[in-house]
Amino acid sequence: MTDFHVMAGTDKSLSLPEVRKIQASDIIDALGRGLDDFWQKPSHYAFLCLIYPLVGVVLIYWASDADALPLLFPLASGFALLGPFAAIGLYEISRRREAGLDTSWRHALAVRKSPAIPSIMAVGAMLFAIFVTWLLVAQGLYVRLLGPEPPASIAGFFESVFTTDAGFTLLLIGNAIGFIFALVVLITTSIAFPMLLDRDCGAVAAIITSARAASANPLPIALWGLLVVGALVVGSLPLFAGLAVVMPILGHATWHLYRKLVAD
């Protein structure tokens, strides 16, 4: 029965909550509330998210080897696909603050004891599978357009990507495919994880509700997606260090977006 609970929730039925319609102003308000949550104890939240710039630096170092250079951009951009799962602790902090509970950073780590953790892990596994698939597709596209031989140097890699017809095709098709992957993640998990923390409804119910919320609010969710991408790009520019601020703000804002989209 554990598997069924993971899929459908504690009452063994697929219970779908009411989804509200929101406006663009609600997206801005959710971001403002996320920023307010962050400013309450920024040192705690930055500490929790230091993994993002650290991982970014590791990715750059690892990909500095010419053999791995073709995967540098897919890794850096694809890492954002895992962001909704990695921000679980931040959703919990915002949930506790909204409820008037203690918001010490240790509660962000206590989510591992949540009764919804099997469902959370199931959706997280789905995100990881999407991430790996993206890497395989990106690598296959590179090999098809630029050949199986690794670039001789970093300069040679950038020259082949930015100064050749095959390189321009790679950028065009690669970004289009990456957009599709990002869109799938946005639709299926934009509010799935905070919903699971809040009501342990089961993985399928959380994913379906997230998709229903996106379907009912296409323009606001599209705006949310654009703001997330823009914030991640800005946060990634200084060697990913800005993600230590950007990621917690987006994580907190995601909780408030969930609260606006899903009825109690």
Side-chain angles (χ1 to χ4, degrees):
M1 300 304 291
T2 302
D3 292 338
F4 194 85
H5 168 59
V6 168
M7 301 301 288
T10 54
D11 61 358
K12 303 186 177 77
S13 65
L14 193 62
S15 179
L16 300 178
E18 176 189 352
V19 170
R20 302 188 184 102
K21 284 187 174 292
I22 62 172
Q23 306 296 324
S25 58
D26 292 304
I27 300 296
I28 303 303
D29 183 66
L31 279 173
R33 290 173 182 265
L35 181 61
D36 186 56
D37 285 350
F38 171 76
W39 280 122
Q40 291 302 306
K41 295 180 181 178
S43 60
H44 287 176
Y45 302 152
F47 168 77
L48 288 173
C49 292
L50 281 178
I51 185 174
Y52 291 97
L54 287 176
V55 169
V57 171
V58 169
L59 291 180
I60 289 176
Y61 176 79
W62 178 77
S64 62
D65 177 35
D67 290 348
L69 276 173
L71 285 178
L72 175 59
F73 176 75
L75 277 168
S77 59
F79 181 64
L81 298 176
L82 303 177
F85 175 71
I88 289 173
L90 300 171
Y91 310 145
E92 176 65 8
I93 294 296
S94 286
R95 185 191 71 82
R96 296 184 66 85
R97 185 180 181 222
E98 184 181 86
L101 302 174
D102 177 46
T103 57
S104 172
W105 65 267
R106 67 178 180 274
H107 293 294
L109 305 177
V111 295
R112 69 186 186 279
K113 300 177 182 179
S114 167
I117 198 65
S119 299
I120 290 170
M121 296 303 296
V123 182
M126 181 192 78
L127 283 185
F128 184 74
I130 292 173
F131 173 70
V132 172
T133 303
W134 158 241
L135 293 182
L136 293 174
V137 170
Q139 176 67 13
L141 182 64
Y142 180 90
V143 170
R144 182 176 181 83
L145 292 174
L146 295 178
E149 294 297 321
S153 65
I154 295 178
F157 169 72
F158 284 107
E159 181 180 357
S160 63
V161 170
F162 291 104
T163 65
T164 67
D165 290 341
F168 285 125
T169 302
L170 175 68
L171 292 173
L172 181 64
I173 298 178
N175 279 290
I177 294 174
F179 171 78
I180 294 173
F181 276 92
L183 185 62
V184 169
V185 171
L186 176 67
I187 291 173
T188 58
T189 66
S190 57
I191 59 169
F193 290 108
M195 181 175 172
L196 286 170
L197 275 180
D198 188 39
R199 57 186 77 194
D200 188 18
C201 58
V204 171
I207 291 171
I208 291 175
T209 302
S210 185
R212 288 172 58 229
S215 177
N217 301 276
L219 293 181
I221 294 300
L223 174 61
W224 170 249
L226 288 174
L227 289 173
V228 168
V229 169
L232 291 177
V233 169
V234 171
S236 300
L237 291 178
L239 289 177
F240 296 85
L243 294 181
V245 173
V246 168
M247 287 303 301
I249 293 174
L250 291 177
H252 293 306
T254 299
W255 168 262
H256 295 292
L257 178 64
Y258 155 71
R259 295 290 289 157
K260 289 176 179 293
L261 284 168
V262 179
D264 292 332

